[in-house]
Amino acid sequence: MQEPFRKKKKYGQNFLIGNTVVKRIVAGSGIDADCGVLEIGPGAGALTRELLSAAKRVVSVEIDGELIPILENCFGNDSRFTLIHGDILKTDVSALLREHFAGMPVCVCANLPYYITTDVLTKLMRELPQAKSIAVMIQKEVGDKLLSGPGDDGYGSLAVMCQYRYHVMRALDVPAACFNPPPKVDSSFMVLEKLEQPRVNAGDEEIFTRLVRSAFAMRRKTLLNNLVSGFSLNREQAAACLAAANLSAQARAEELSLEDFAGLAIQLQNTIR
């Protein structure tokens, strides 16, 4: 199909093509007929069409104004569909949820430009904690990072925070040839299923989140040094927290498990209060 618009490099536009891949994506996303779906980046609407066949309601947020009339022409007559012209990073997703999905379980489905993956996932975890699942198409290497553990290449704050709140799965690897234009790398369709309770008890989640971000802020520094700068502790206080959590003063963030971070967060809470 020829599209009457010019793809824009600044938006990182790579549109899914092929019904088989689209159907497998929706089937693997956990969406059902009772769900409301927040779709991020509908593009030309290939995924939108399949989402509308599976879900109770779909709200799509699209940043590219040239795509708005195309999407409205395709789906505007469906009362279960709402299109929002906007930047998801500047959208109040909590307000959107209240307005469009009252009483429904909500899933997120997105084909994200690679350069905003971390920002979008961080925003959704912070502002849409009630989402039943977050299903995203991302660069395969980033998918590997979400599944990584201590000592693995790419292990960082995003992996820790995702694994703390979600069961993270790689539902499907998607070759570059499944997109138009094809990106320079392959992709993975990742599904983050919300856990009933966080995987570990970390006490105050605000302090836990602050700890994880501070710990990975300067990866070459020891955890002790990052605690001093991230929590305004003196070295003795930071060392005491690490010792109480059975961690070495020379440890670095990439060595810590989720359980280690949770234990250290609890010790910090006892120190800074």
Side-chain angles (χ1 to χ4, degrees):
M1 179 182 74
Q2 289 188 336
E3 297 139 354
F5 59 88
R6 178 173 49 86
K7 299 178 184 70
K8 300 172 184 64
K9 187 175 182 180
K10 68 177 180 178
Y11 293 143
Q13 289 174 329
N14 302 98
F15 299 145
L16 277 165
I17 55 177
N19 288 338
T20 300
V21 171
V22 172
K23 287 180 181 294
R24 289 182 67 188
I25 286 171
V26 175
S29 66
I31 293 166
D32 59 38
D34 295 324
C35 286
V37 176
L38 169 60
E39 182 189 22
I40 302 171
L47 185 57
T48 312
R49 190 179 305 279
E50 197 65 27
L51 289 172
L52 282 167
S53 73
K56 185 173 184 178
R57 181 166 184 76
V58 176
V59 175
S60 300
V61 179
E62 174 57 54
I63 194 172
D64 189 348
E66 289 187 33
L67 287 167
I68 298 302
I70 297 168
L71 292 162
E72 287 178 339
N73 183 60
C74 290
F75 309 112
N77 291 330
D78 192 328
S79 61
R80 299 173 302 119
F81 175 72
T82 299
L83 179 61
I84 297 172
H85 179 202
D87 181 347
I88 191 61
L89 291 174
K90 298 177 181 177
T91 299
D92 185 340
V93 292
S94 297
L96 185 151
L97 184 82
R98 292 191 297 270
E99 180 178 356
H100 298 284
F101 297 121
M104 297 182 206
V106 177
C107 298
V108 178
C109 196
N111 180 18
L112 296 178
Y114 296 149
Y115 69 93
I116 64 168
T117 297
T118 297
D119 290 341
V120 171
L121 286 176
T122 300
K123 177 183 176 72
L124 291 172
M125 286 190 287
R126 183 178 64 249
E127 298 181 19
L128 206 60
Q130 64 272 65
K132 175 184 173 183
S133 66
I134 300 173
V136 290
M137 184 74 71
I138 57 179
Q139 185 176 344
K140 187 175 185 296
E141 181 181 346
V142 179
D144 293 341
K145 290 180 179 180
L146 295 188
L147 293 167
S148 64
D152 291 340
D153 290 341
Y155 182 59
S157 59
L158 187 61
V160 174
M161 295 310 301
C162 286
Q163 293 173 29
Y164 171 65
R165 294 189 176 98
Y166 303 91
H167 174 50
V168 182
M169 300 175 291
R170 190 193 311 273
L172 183 67
D173 283 330
V174 184
C178 293
F179 297 86
N180 178 26
K184 295 180 181 180
V185 294
D186 290 337
S187 301
S188 289
F189 184 66
M190 306 295 294
V191 178
L192 283 61
E193 289 185 348
K194 182 71 180 296
L195 299 170
E196 289 188 11
Q197 297 291 334
R199 197 175 299 278
V200 294
N201 175 20
D204 187 318
E205 289 198 356
E206 184 176 340
I207 292 177
F208 173 75
T209 301
R210 182 178 165 191
L211 165 62
V212 173
R213 290 175 179 167
S214 298
F216 286 101
M218 291 174 281
R219 300 180 70 100
R220 293 188 177 185
K221 287 193 173 184
T222 64
L223 199 54
L224 187 147
N225 285 327
N226 282 337
L227 288 181
V228 168
S229 58
F231 287 87
S232 300
L233 302 177
N234 60 46
R235 295 182 68 81
E236 291 73 20
Q237 288 173 317
C241 285
L242 288 165
N246 295 315
L247 296 171
S248 166
Q250 301 305 310
R252 285 178 165 78
E254 58 266 26
E255 302 169 15
L256 271 62
S257 67
L258 184 57
E259 291 77 12
D260 290 332
F261 277 112
L264 182 54
I266 290 172
Q267 295 304 323
L268 281 166
Q269 291 159 38
N270 293 334
T271 299
I272 64 179
R273 284 176 177 166

